[in-house]
Amino acid sequence: MTELCPITTSPTRLALKILGAEDVHRVHAAALALLGAEGAGAEKAARLAPDTVVLGGRVYEHHTVLGVAHCWLGTGGPAALVRPREGGDPRPAIPADLAEACRLADALPEVAVVHGPPVHAAAETLPAELACCFASTSKHVQLTTLRSAAEADVVLRMAIAVAGSDVEVRGRPPVSLCAGADALGAAAVFARAGLPVGIVAAPSGHAGDDDTADLAAALVRHHAGVLAACAAIQAIVPGAPFFYVADPALAGLAAGSPEAAMFLIAATQLGAHIGLPVSAVGMTTGSHEPDWQACTQNAFGALSTMAAGADLTAGAGTLGGGSVFSAQQLVMDSEIYSWNARITAGVMVEDETIALDAIKKVGIGGNFLGQRHTREHMDGVWRPRLLDRSMWDAWVASGSEGAYEKASQLTDEHLAEHQVLPLGDQLTETLARIVAEAGL
Amino acid sequence: MQCAVDPLGHDGPNLEANLVAAEHGLASGFMPMPLAAGTGPATLAGNLVVQNAETLSGVVLLQLAFPGSPCFFAGAPSVIDLKTGGYTGGSPEDYLLAAASTQLAHFYGLPMAMGTMATGAKEPDWQAAIDDSLSTFASVMTSADLMNGAGLLNGSKILSYPHMVMESEIYSIVQKVAGGIEVSDETLALDVIKKVGSNGTYLAEKHTRAHMKEIWRPSVWDRTPYDTWLREGKKGALHNATEIADDILENYRPEPLPEDVVKELRAIVDRADKELAGA
């Protein structure tokens, strides 16, 4: 049975900052200075871009909007390797893995955007992968590997087919582009058609294999790269939807490091400074397994982006710095997102939540279990899907099950039961024809 | 540090111990632990009212008896597990309450000793990681003055040495993030960026040599390439932490107490054993 899972999110009420107001100005000014004569124009161009960006799904329930004080979750990718669900070492991805990854993302209410796409099988073309994504999820697809204008033309035809027309594709674009400098040509094609893009125009440089010596300098380079790309796009199509990409990898920072978390907070501040929505890659664990390390790294990365006010945090489901996709990891990252969404929703303080009357009524040494106030608000208490809260003996008796085992069960259940909203025969045929004609 | 009797109560003998400490100038604190929806309202703001009242009442008592005696706020707020009625030992609400109560402590100009880490997880695993990471983040980012709980699992019922090492790594990460980003002409490095250009490398730059030691390095996290990790037997964080804990326990010796102090402590303990026997 087809099942539409609405996306769950909550408002971001926190405003975590790592740069003072003066520091933001200094980094911004240094980036403009780095751009030289183009600097002034770049700042103006950024102001032309809209402050909200729609990432459309195939259905209304799967639309997301960046720039409205909500942070959405995106998958990671594209990973060339896949960690088998049944266990064992990662193996090269096959086309069926992409369909499965997208279907799982479709079933998980926390996932809003299929970023990547999550899996890349050798010899598969991008249009073929996009057709697979459209068939396997009705959520928005954000591409990161699109490079040529020719490929972008093909993708645009597919997006128009899915949206229904070249007018509708502007209102609810089912595809967006998030990439580095080499995707500027493709980004121009997207921008002309009204599809959202986020580009970092210049390579940021590396101090070592994966470390950049000075974060302030890394921020200047990265910010200049975003400003330059934004200026290039706005020069082609003034007012084109453009989002600020905050990806520690593009800034040359080690996957999941404290510096990456700091960069994410600061980059989000810089994005807000120039009035652009921020698409961050907050889950970039370098761990090879869905373990303690993967969790600490993604918890910090996700909280940094979400608490700082980024609009999208992507990277869920990948391991090894984005090289491996794991279905269980996607479920576990969704739980991390869910925790963080509750945290960033903050504490509501009003007469009803202060509950002074209930406190006085219960008095010293009583309990709130039987109170009407408790019954009215208990559904607001966050509940886990993967955590174990049983007593020790019960836990041992149940086989000492951990989060990974629970994630495996959930993954199997979703993939056994979840049906994606079908594309329909006509659209499926149209997409197949576009892919075949592309001959890429 | 004494726990309150939630909601809104204090234990008599505990308070007497606090008063003795205050009389002799020893720091004294109160740690309320109201469980939202159980011994506190289900709403977080109401839970904060209960724990704030409990701590403040203890502090006021000590200041009335011994004005100026050193006091601190403490806390280990949590939420009831609505499925079992038990202690959750880690939830997003815990961290919001921890952050907010730290703000309240500082509002009164008092330091905060926050119950942090001490996960409900049974093992140093994924669950422990999310709980410890986020609770530490909440405490450090709101400038709690002390965090208690490192090394504890299963709702503070199990002590694990490798887990203590892993939590020290988490603390080190959050401490680094909390240190912020220094923005100055030297750290902006505009001249170096222009010199290297758009496709160069910073490896050989004097600026890199001058600053590379500021980059955080892990003790427990594994950063080896996949093939190396596979070849070396898939050693992960728990393995690395166990090795560090074993090494510390074998080789590290804390500064010993002077002989006469050891003797005096022994005598006090012996006397207490006799005086308190059967008490």
Side-chain angles (χ1 to χ4, degrees):
Chain A
M1 194 183 97
T2 304
E3 183 190 358
L4 258 187
C5 300
I7 297 163
T8 58
T9 181
S10 56
T12 305
R13 296 200 185 89
L14 304 188
L16 181 63
K17 290 179 170 46
I18 201 160
L19 297 175
E22 194 185 327
D23 292 340
V24 169
H25 281 286
R26 285 194 75 175
V27 172
H28 180 64
L32 294 179
L34 192 60
L35 292 174
E38 296 166 27
E43 184 165 37
K44 217 175 187 177
R47 306 287 176 202
L48 281 177
D51 53 8
T52 57
V53 171
V54 175
L55 303 180
R58 282 204 281 122
V59 289
Y60 174 78
E61 291 85 346
H62 287 173
H63 289 351
T64 57
V65 185
L66 309 185
V68 291
H70 280 247
C71 187
W72 311 86
L73 177 65
T75 66
L81 300 172
V82 168
R83 198 170 187 275
R85 268 200 285 145
E86 61 279 10
D89 293 331
R91 55 160 174 75
I94 57 173
D97 292 325
L98 177 58
E100 191 173 276
C102 290
R103 202 152 59 83
L104 182 59
D106 197 73
L108 290 167
E110 291 84 3
V111 177
V113 171
V114 175
H115 171 98
V119 172
H120 170 65
E124 277 291 278
T125 65
L126 184 65
E129 287 179 339
L130 183 59
C132 175
C133 290
F134 282 141
S136 309
T137 179
S138 48
K139 292 179 179 174
H140 181 84
V141 181
Q142 187 165 79
L143 300 174
T144 61
T145 56
L146 185 59
R147 292 295 176 267
S148 72
E151 267 187 330
D153 278 326
V154 177
V155 168
L156 175 59
R157 286 172 59 201
M158 297 172 76
I160 291 171
V162 168
S165 71
D166 55 359
V167 174
E168 285 171 287
V169 88
R170 288 176 181 273
R172 47 186 182 92
V175 185
S176 58
L177 174 61
C178 175
D182 47 357
L184 260 177
V189 173
F190 267 41
R192 285 193 190 97
L195 299 180
V197 298
I199 304 288
V200 183
S204 297
H206 293 251
D209 285 344
D210 54 11
D211 290 332
T212 298
D214 236 313
L215 263 176
L219 283 165
V220 170
R221 293 195 300 269
H222 187 84
H223 191 58
V226 174
L227 283 169
C230 186
I233 296 299
Q234 299 303 319
I236 298 166
V237 188
F242 188 95
F243 50 83
Y244 193 107
V245 177
D247 182 352
L250 288 175
L253 297 166
S257 62
E259 287 84 1
M262 297 159 84
F263 168 83
L264 287 164
I265 301 168
T268 301
Q269 287 184 257
L270 289 165
H273 180 67
I274 56 173
L276 293 177
V278 177
S279 173
V281 184
M283 295 186 172
T284 60
T285 179
S287 180
H288 302 300
E289 295 196 307
D291 57 5
W292 181 89
Q293 179 175 331
C295 184
T296 53
Q297 292 182 327
N298 283 356
F300 286 135
L303 185 58
S304 299
T305 50
M306 295 171 75
D311 301 281
L312 174 70
T313 186
T318 56
L319 295 163
S323 61
V324 178
F325 177 81
S326 158
Q328 285 93 341
Q329 179 70 11
L330 181 56
V331 173
M332 294 159 98
D333 284 341
S334 297
E335 181 98 336
I336 290 176
Y337 169 83
S338 169
W339 277 61
N340 284 329
R342 176 64 192 94
I343 292 171
T344 53
V347 179
M348 290 292 290
V349 180
E350 52 195 22
D351 287 349
E352 174 62 17
T353 59
I354 284 175
L356 206 51
D357 290 344
I359 294 170
K360 285 177 180 167
K361 189 174 167 198
V362 169
I364 299 168
N367 79 70
F368 290 78
L369 277 174
Q371 295 298 310
R372 182 188 294 264
H373 184 271
T374 302
R375 288 200 301 281
E376 284 170 358
H377 290 278
M378 59 193 284
D379 284 344
V381 176
W382 182 84
R383 297 190 199 185
R385 290 180 306 187
L386 303 182
L387 302 192
D388 178 84
R389 286 173 167 174
S390 58
M391 302 300 281
W392 177 269
D393 292 345
W395 176 70
V396 172
S398 70
S400 306
E401 204 176 59
Y404 180 78
E405 288 74 24
K406 286 187 203 294
S408 292
Q409 283 169 20
L410 262 175
T411 303
D412 292 346
E413 281 169 25
H414 281 312
L415 291 175
E417 294 165 11
H418 182 72
Q419 299 293 320
V420 177
L421 182 74
L423 278 175
D425 292 344
Q426 196 182 345
L427 183 52
T428 304
E429 280 170 27
T430 304
L431 292 176
R433 183 167 40 78
I434 296 171
V435 172
E437 285 171 3
L440 293 168
Chain B
M1 188 193 299
Q2 304 281 14
C3 288
V5 181
D6 310 299
L8 302 175
H10 286 284
D11 192 49
N14 285 1
L15 279 181
E16 285 169 11
N18 282 119
L19 288 164
V20 171
E23 184 178 6
H24 295 279
L26 299 179
S28 202
F30 298 92
M31 180 184 261
M33 301 172 71
L35 286 174
T39 51
T43 46
L44 300 188
N47 190 287
L48 285 167
V49 171
V50 170
Q51 60 172 293
N52 202 46
E54 290 172 0
T55 312
L56 268 185
S57 59
V59 169
V60 168
L61 175 70
L62 295 191
Q63 295 309 313
L64 286 172
F66 303 102
S69 59
C71 285
F72 58 91
F73 265 49
S78 193
V79 179
I80 201 168
D81 179 6
L82 292 164
K83 266 189 183 171
T84 65
Y87 171 65
T88 56
S91 75
E93 286 91 353
D94 294 12
Y95 320 139
L96 287 167
L97 290 168
S101 41
T102 300
Q103 283 185 274
L104 284 166
H106 293 167
F107 171 76
Y108 298 111
L110 291 171
M112 167 58 89
M114 179 49 68
T116 311
M117 304 173 179
T119 175
K122 314 288 190 295
E123 293 182 307
D125 57 6
W126 186 92
Q127 179 172 337
I130 187 166
D131 198 6
D132 295 338
S133 300
L134 299 182
S135 67
T136 305
F137 202 92
S139 292
V140 172
M141 288 304 171
T142 48
S143 303
D145 302 277
L146 175 68
M147 296 185 295
N148 306 307
L152 299 173
L153 291 162
N154 193 27
S156 305
K157 294 195 269 296
I158 295 173
L159 175 65
S160 158
Y161 299 135
H163 186 52
M164 191 184 287
V165 173
M166 293 159 92
E167 288 178 322
S168 299
E169 179 101 330
I170 286 175
Y171 173 70
S172 151
I173 295 159
V174 181
Q175 193 186 33
K176 170 73 184 174
V177 175
I181 299 172
E182 186 194 336
V183 177
S184 62
D185 287 345
E186 172 64 15
T187 61
L188 287 169
L190 207 49
D191 290 342
V192 189
I193 296 171
K194 286 179 180 167
K195 184 180 162 202
V196 170
S198 63
N199 283 310
T201 167
Y202 290 78
L203 271 175
E205 293 301 316
K206 187 182 284 205
H207 183 269
T208 303
R209 288 199 302 281
H211 291 277
M212 58 194 287
K213 288 190 177 159
E214 295 159 18
I215 295 171
W216 181 87
R217 301 281 162 101
S219 310
V220 172
W221 279 357
D222 173 82
R223 280 180 169 175
T224 54
Y226 181 70
D227 291 343
T228 312
W229 174 75
L230 211 58
R231 200 171 51 245
E232 291 178 352
K234 299 182 178 178
K235 289 174 188 168
L238 180 58
H239 174 93
N240 296 339
T242 304
E243 278 189 354
I244 293 170
D246 288 348
D247 180 61
I248 291 171
L249 291 171
E250 195 172 319
N251 299 311
Y252 179 77
R253 297 287 174 270
E255 185 67 25
L257 285 168
E259 252 330 290
D260 56 330
V261 176
V262 173
K263 232 167 139 179
E264 193 178 341
L265 288 177
R266 188 71 258 161
I268 292 170
V269 170
D270 288 345
R271 197 164 64 240
D273 282 348
K274 281 177 200 156
E275 287 174 6
L276 299 177

